[in-house]
Amino acid sequence: MNTTPLLEELAKRPLVCDGAMGTQLMARGLASGACGMTWNLDRPGDVGGIHLAYRNAGCDLITTNSFGGTRFALELHGHAGRVAELNRAAAQVAGAAAGDQGWVLGDVGPFGGFLDPVGDTSADELREAFQSQIAALLAGGADAILVETMSDPAEAVVGVEAAKACNPNIPVIVTYSFQKTAPGEFRTMMGTGVAEAIQSATAAGAQIVGTNCGTSLTLEDYLELARQLVAAAGKTPVIVQPNAGSPHMENGKTIYKATPEEMAATAQRLLAAGVRIIGGCCGTTPALLTAMSRSVKNIKTPA
Ligand SMILES: [Zn+2]
């Protein structure tokens, strides 16, 4: 548990968030499509080992293994009744690795459906589901809530409201996933542009906003997107968590090819664009985050 508030520290220096969890779990034997959240209880050593590798890579912010932690997402694996125990364990495992110099971000991913009128889930139902998840993450010791990989600003807003209902003082971060459309604009899968997405999140009370996991974005695209985010966010700090470059398909597998040097250079350019928190999404590893963290913290790599 870090006794310095996250937002206070962020006002003083840029921070580094961690990288991918799902691909790291699969590297340790999680079957594709299986529920990774049960590992918070069944294989805490593996989950904690991934957190610790990111912490040792220099990451200040450690994200809980709870992306699919709403009852809606857990229901797909028959675990809808285990929201409290699995999310609480996720925060506890991350907290043990973060130690007293790191901060734990309680991770909240999309619930997996659509809000009405497009889908049949009401905002009230979703708020209740997010609140159950977030209450458990906070009970486990999360320092902030990360509402991530959002496409629908309405869902992001419900996420922020749920976090604030659990604890009005908890910092809330919202990140959207954007794609580049034919005219060269960045839009979410739901068609929302950068300014509208950011405006919705900050109006709801998000204190940090940004992007993660772009769809087929190059590292150059992330830079352009970062500039737009910084402009749209005004005084609100911006977080950017790029994938390890644009993915390629090889033998039916998704491969990310960005090198540590490319990711380190991207981190440096994101900082120069005004981004305050830099991390990674799909395809990133402790090795890539080490290079990015050294770049952000201006640590020279020994030759
Ligand atoms: Zn991703």
Side-chain angles (χ1 to χ4, degrees):
M1 181 99 197
N2 195 322
T3 53
T4 307
L6 171 60
L7 295 171
E8 202 174 285
E9 189 70 12
L10 188 60
K12 290 185 209 149
R13 64 176 174 113
L15 296 174
V16 179
C17 191
D18 55 5
M21 170 58 74
T23 42
Q24 294 291 306
L25 289 173
M26 281 187 247
R28 284 167 162 80
L30 180 72
S32 176
C35 181
M37 272 194 77
T38 53
W39 280 33
N40 294 325
L41 281 172
D42 301 340
R43 295 178 64 167
D46 285 293
V47 178
I50 296 165
H51 288 317
L52 205 54
Y54 281 125
R55 187 73 191 102
N56 291 336
C59 301
D60 304 294
L61 309 179
I62 299 299
T63 309
T64 59
N65 173 35
S66 57
F67 181 82
T70 59
R71 70 175 167 83
F72 293 104
L74 285 171
E75 201 161 38
L76 304 175
H77 304 284
H79 298 311
R82 303 181 66 191
V83 170
E85 56 168 336
L86 293 177
N87 282 285
R88 190 173 51 239
Q92 286 165 341
V93 172
D100 59 7
Q101 300 297 309
W103 291 267
V104 173
L105 303 185
D107 192 54
V108 176
F111 78 102
F114 294 100
L115 283 168
D116 67 8
V118 179
D120 53 11
T121 304
S122 74
D124 286 343
E125 272 180 291
L126 180 59
R127 192 175 298 104
E128 196 187 323
F130 275 155
Q131 237 172 283
S132 305
Q133 179 186 13
I134 292 167
L137 290 168
L138 296 178
D143 299 295
I145 296 298
L146 171 64
V147 180
E148 64 145 306
T149 321
M150 290 286 125
S151 295
D152 181 1
E155 180 173 1
V157 165
V158 172
V160 177
E161 289 170 354
K164 297 293 179 183
C166 288
N167 179 349
N169 298 318
I170 201 80
V172 183
I173 305 168
V174 171
T175 59
Y176 290 93
S177 177
F178 291 98
Q179 48 194 305
K180 202 171 182 178
T181 60
E185 292 171 345
F186 295 102
R187 294 199 170 270
T188 69
M189 189 185 68
M190 301 288 283
T192 309
V194 171
E196 186 194 341
I198 296 310
Q199 164 66 24
S200 302
T202 51
Q207 289 113 317
I208 300 170
V209 290
T211 192
N212 75 299
C213 206
T215 307
S216 299
L217 297 187
T218 63
L219 293 177
E220 208 61 44
D221 289 332
Y222 282 107
L223 278 165
E224 195 185 329
L225 173 56
R227 292 189 192 103
Q228 295 185 19
L229 287 163
V230 169
K235 288 194 165 76
T236 306
V238 168
I239 177 172
V240 175
Q241 299 198 275
N243 294 339
S246 183
H248 303 263
M249 291 302 286
E250 276 175 26
N251 305 320
K253 275 189 170 176
T254 311
I255 310 280
Y256 292 87
K257 286 191 165 166
T259 63
E261 293 73 23
E262 287 168 336
M263 293 306 281
T266 300
Q268 206 47 245
R269 294 175 71 192
L270 288 170
L271 273 189
V275 175
R276 290 297 282 176
I277 304 179
I278 287 161
C281 203
C282 296
T284 58
T285 59
L288 290 180
L289 264 299
T290 300
M292 295 169 81
S293 161
R294 286 177 158 270
S295 174
V296 170
K297 296 176 185 185
N298 256 314
I299 301 168
K300 299 273 179 285
T301 311

